[in-house]
Amino acid sequence: MKPIPALIALLITTSLAGCASIVQKASDSFANNLGSAILDSEDPATVRDGLPAYLLLLDSLIEGQKPGAKGNAAMLMAAAKLNGAYAGNFTGDDKQRAQRLAKKSFAYARTATCLEDAALCAAIDQNPEKFAAVVAADGNADLMYGLASSWSGYLQANSEDWGAIADLPKIEALLDRVVALKPDIDQGQAYVYLGVMNSLRPEAVGGKPELGRSYFEKAIALSGGKNLYAKTLFAQYYARLVFDQALHDKLLNEVLAADPKAPGFTLTNTLAQDRARKLLESGKDYF
């Protein structure tokens, strides 16, 4: 990846020369490379402290693009992913900040969707049944996954807003379609989202914890066991819901014993180990 000053110089030069396509390619490459570098970092504190500057830079690159241009979509989705990741992992107890960043993430993902897929865009505000019908006919797994991921983060940040929670069936419809089309997308991460969604409530009140368990197990298998967050959330949501302490402790101890370094997972694995330690400690009082 080019150093930031060199990249900015390249953008200025090509803009003056009128080479918009080169600017677009450089911008998209920067956004994608930045995302990869962050996911492979083993120092969450550095990511936490450094990422806001890059989020602002992505904002400026998006602002500088021609309004309505389809070339924006890839960069918009990259920005959505990074804003969502920061909102979900690095805002601490600052709930309002998490909500702002999650809102921006979802806005970027929604705009990208509208640039690429008019039918899906028009269905977002429809009722869940109409939305599901449109999703069932859609074949763009990558776009739907980006929208679902960002939408999930927005819901998480606004979990006390019943209006946001009412959209949960739409997110689940997107993810169900995604895994039907491309089950190994994001090394199985789509199944982690589905695992959590189906493990939020006991079976007696409409939850589907055993289905949730199967989704977590698929996510772990598709990542070759490298996705430690899948095991951590498996313990937090499923094992605690069904009061299975043996499974809970087994999963968390496996997370702590594993090497967190893995392409595409290093940062989230490091965060997963920190959460696993806290869950093991709080589990003493939970069970």
Side-chain angles (χ1 to χ4, degrees):
M1 185 174 67
K2 300 178 184 296
I4 297 305
L7 178 63
I8 293 174
L10 173 63
L11 292 178
I12 293 172
T13 301
T14 53
S15 178
L16 291 174
C19 299
S21 63
I22 297 177
V23 174
Q24 184 65 58
K25 289 178 181 178
S27 301
D28 290 349
S29 177
F30 166 73
N32 291 327
N33 288 343
L34 175 60
S36 297
I38 288 170
L39 290 174
D40 288 333
S41 173
E42 56 185 306
D43 187 351
T46 296
V47 174
R48 180 197 64 217
D49 295 342
L51 187 55
Y54 294 101
L55 295 181
L56 289 172
L57 180 56
L58 283 174
D59 287 346
S60 71
L61 292 172
I62 290 169
E63 184 70 22
Q65 296 298 315
K66 183 179 179 181
K70 281 202 171 185
N72 286 6
M75 194 190 308
L76 283 161
M77 276 301 188
K81 184 175 183 179
L82 291 177
N83 276 279
Y86 198 93
N89 294 290
F90 299 113
T91 51
D93 295 327
D94 191 340
K95 190 171 183 179
Q96 289 186 338
R97 189 182 184 206
Q99 289 174 337
R100 286 196 301 270
L101 288 168
K103 181 179 180 180
K104 184 169 73 167
S105 170
F106 182 44
Y108 278 153
R110 181 168 180 160
T111 301
T113 299
C114 292
L115 290 173
E116 292 286 328
D117 191 328
L120 184 58
C121 172
I124 289 175
D125 291 325
Q126 297 293 322
N127 64 49
E129 291 75 19
K130 290 182 179 179
F131 181 80
V134 172
V135 168
D138 204 303
N140 194 333
D142 292 322
L143 184 70
M144 289 189 287
Y145 179 62
L147 178 62
S149 300
S150 181
W151 207 341
S152 296
Y154 178 76
L155 187 151
Q156 179 183 353
N158 295 275
S159 58
E160 297 175 2
D161 180 350
W162 287 102
I165 294 172
D167 285 334
L168 186 60
K170 296 181 183 180
I171 301 171
E172 191 167 1
L174 285 168
L175 292 168
D176 283 338
R177 181 60 174 160
V178 167
V179 297
L181 292 169
K182 199 172 181 179
D184 60 346
I185 193 168
D186 201 11
Q187 300 188 72
Q189 186 66 21
Y191 282 112
V192 177
Y193 288 108
L194 285 168
V196 171
M197 289 179 184
N198 284 278
S199 303
L200 292 174
R201 296 173 295 171
E203 189 172 3
V205 292
K208 299 178 181 178
E210 293 311 312
L211 181 59
R213 176 174 187 154
S214 72
Y215 285 143
F216 282 123
E217 290 172 343
K218 285 181 181 179
I220 294 166
L222 284 168
S223 73
K226 295 176 182 178
N227 187 345
L228 301 185
Y229 232 125
K231 288 188 175 184
T232 302
L233 296 179
F234 188 3
Q236 180 178 351
Y237 287 95
Y238 173 81
R240 289 198 174 201
L241 181 68
V242 301
F243 285 91
D244 189 337
Q245 184 175 9
L247 176 63
H248 177 272
D249 292 356
K250 175 180 177 290
L251 289 166
L252 297 177
N253 281 312
E254 287 176 355
V255 169
L256 294 175
D259 182 355
K261 294 182 182 179
F265 289 114
T266 301
L267 177 65
T268 55
N269 284 349
T270 303
L271 293 168
Q273 289 183 328
D274 180 61
R275 179 176 289 200
R277 292 185 189 94
K278 294 174 181 176
L279 287 170
L280 271 176
E281 184 61 30
S282 63
K284 297 173 184 177
D285 296 323
Y286 185 87
F287 293 102

